[in-house]
Amino acid sequence: MEERAKRKWWKEGIVYQIYPRSFQDTTGNGIGDLKGIIHRLDYIKSLGVDIVWLNPIYKSPNDDHGYDISDYRGIMEEFGTMADFDELLKGMKQRGLKLVMDLVVNHSSDEHPWFKESRKSCDNPYRNYYHWWPAEKGKPPKRWSFFDIEENAWKYDPSTKAYYLHCFSEKQPDLNWENSKVRQEIYDLMKFWFDKGVNGFRMDVISFISKDTDFPELPEEYGGDFIPYYANGPRLHEYLHEMNKEVLSNYDVMTVGEGTGISIERALDFVNEDREELNMFFHFDLMDLDREPGQMFTMRKEKWKLTDFKRIHSQWDSIFAQKGWGSIYLNNHDFPRAVSRWGNDSKAYWHNSATMLQTFVLTMRGTPYFLYGEEIGMTNIKFNDISDYRDINTLNRYETLKNEGGDLEAFIQNEKHASRDNARTPMQWDLSKNAGFTKERPWIGINGNYEEGINVMTQESEEDSVLNYFRRMIGVRKSNTTLIYGDYTLLAPKNEDIYAYTRSDSKNTFLVLLSFSIEQAEINLKELDFEHARLIISNAEAAELKKDTRFALEPYQAVIYQLH
């Protein structure tokens, strides 16, 4: 089993994602910073996690909060200095923590020196660092943009009478990977950070880097959906393999791609070890489960089904059963809080929901990812007014809808559950002003439920808190490699209340039972042998094993048994 799996540190590690702007402010400007992370390193270590993923900390005008980079080798002044970064990296190494940074190279900021040069003239040496369409050829074929108010990915630039491509904000022009000089620039900046001691990259929309530079009309086979088209560029795998050969293969590092638009049928093209491209990527099938088809930011009116939740995870697990490796996550900086989305954040069910979902992530095959605050069960903030939002995605979609005369109240109601800002509110440390995040006005609102027990200080002192369950559950995973490399078998696939599965190898079998129901739920597992079963962990009082193999679980209960 383990021989087939080819044990790697990035398979066995547990990732803790930090959105630096919202973690800890030490300067009083209401914005988290690198010194704040340094201050909290002992806490991070105490969780039992192994790898910290930092969202972008590079120099940026902050049009998209750091995902528009103006200097790939500089630190954003709001966050601190390169000396602060070096101190952070040193502190992490001393504690046995590894650091993964964001690699944002599908696009740069329009304030990056490359783009400033590129737009000066048509014969500028940097002109071909980006995608330009001369106005003399007429309007370019339709390309869709995530963050543009008009949803148009072409921006006219009068200085050279041409359009430039931006699949995201107009301040995020797409880099031209077809230019070998651009690729070399990117490989050099990757080496810069690896040589500093960084342990890997999470690669932002890496599936979008290759473009058909003839820019034809969207092929009919895509049914008007640009995202899978963007993710299937003609030279994508050539570039990823080249990146691996030129850079990644020379370091012991971890790579995880943001797999926007990648279908399950193409998964192994990216992570099959023989292809020498990436270690793993984030798929988006689960993130689409509660969204309207073709509307990635609009919630469905009807509730998602647990059978579909199971199907998605089971199908993806089967893809990586023999080759490649997967990732397991329920939220990140781009998606709302897990307990509010996949569990139940009402007071009665919040604790069990949060711990049940932690149990799920930590018992599935694949590298587990947790967003800061997930360990204490942070929830969606559900802002009531557009003035409370800070995310360009929400703000620009609001303007688009307003220009179209749409229902703005319905939009705000949707954003209470769907907005990315739900995942970006400040970390809730204690009961002091602003939850201990800052002494001044925070850059974005803080969830008031920090006063109701959803904070680190309160949960540290409670034996059965969400935080301390998280630590215990991490201990369970780390002490049982079966939960990392073992086979996964889905049980009772049609049960709409309980997700049941085993993780097994030649030595051990673990049974995981997870209730997703607001009511007591039952499951019959007559195909299993419970003669030697023992309880490993539960977030509630575990029911006794019955001779008839019928279990009754409390709402949102999680139970793990070792069967042999």
Side-chain angles (χ1 to χ4, degrees), residues 454-501:
I454 306 184
N455 70 77
V456 172
M457 183 187 75
T458 299
Q459 293 191 28
E460 286 279 14
S461 61
E462 297 175 349
E463 184 179 351
D464 64 346
S465 67
V466 173
L467 173 60
N468 284 320
Y469 181 91
F470 181 75
R471 288 173 169 143
R472 289 195 296 274
M473 190 57 231
I474 283 182
V476 170
R477 183 179 178 91
K478 287 191 168 185
S479 60
N480 297 285
T481 56
T482 306
L483 294 175
I484 302 171
Y485 295 110
D487 294 331
Y488 160 92
T489 303
L490 175 65
L491 306 172
K494 295 181 180 179
N495 190 311
E496 285 289 2
D497 298 316
I498 295 174
Y499 193 164
Y501 51 93

Side-chain angles (χ1 to χ4, degrees), residues 409-456:
E409 178 57 31
F411 176 84
I412 293 296
Q413 290 302 315
N414 180 79
E415 294 304 282
K416 287 183 179 182
H417 304 282
S419 174
R420 303 193 303 177
D421 277 340
N422 283 305
R424 301 178 179 188
T425 58
M427 181 65 177
Q428 295 164 204
W429 292 106
D430 55 41
L431 290 167
S432 65
K433 180 182 178 181
N434 296 324
F437 166 69
T438 182
K439 295 180 180 178
E440 302 300 329
R441 183 179 180 181
W443 74 276
I444 192 172
I446 295 176
N447 198 319
N449 61 18
Y450 77 89
E451 297 178 333
E452 301 168 8
I454 306 184
N455 70 77
V456 172

Side-chain angles (χ1 to χ4, degrees), residues 140-145 151-154 165-167 212 214-219 226 229-230:
K142 170 70 176 177
R143 288 294 180 271
W144 180 79
S145 168
E151 298 184 334
N152 182 5
W154 291 105
L165 183 70
H166 61 92
C167 290
D212 183 340
D214 290 333
F215 295 104
E217 296 292 340
L218 180 66
F226 281 91
Y229 175 69
Y230 289 164

Side-chain angles (χ1 to χ4, degrees), residues 17-20 52-58 64-69 71-72 74 85 99-107 189-190 193-194 198-206 254 256-258 282 332-334 424:
Q17 179 191 358
I18 293 177
Y19 196 68
V52 174
W53 158 26
L54 284 188
N55 288 107
I57 57 173
Y58 316 98
D64 184 22
H65 288 144
Y67 282 92
D68 49 317
I69 298 170
D71 181 357
Y72 287 99
F85 174 82
L99 177 62
V100 169
M101 295 177 67
D102 249 297
L103 182 74
V104 188
V105 290
N106 174 71
H107 47 265
L189 72 88
M190 293 172 71
W193 291 104
F194 285 148
V198 169
N199 303 104
F201 283 116
R202 174 265 183 185
M203 301 182 177
D204 187 65
V205 288
I206 197 68
M254 162 184 157
V256 54
E258 184 182 24
F282 299 128
N332 60 32
H333 66 291
D334 279 336
R424 301 178 179 188

Side-chain angles (χ1 to χ4, degrees), residues 157-194:
D157 189 55
S159 59
T160 56
K161 297 180 180 179
Y163 300 84
Y164 66 85
L165 183 70
H166 61 92
C167 290
F168 294 87
S169 159
E170 65 181 46
K171 289 184 67 62
Q172 293 171 291
D174 281 43
L175 286 159
N176 181 11
W177 275 70
E178 278 62 42
N179 183 347
S180 61
K181 291 181 179 179
V182 170
R183 300 200 301 275
Q184 196 57 55
E185 295 266 22
I186 292 167
Y187 302 156
D188 287 347
L189 72 88
M190 293 172 71
K191 293 173 186 176
F192 170 82
W193 291 104
F194 285 148

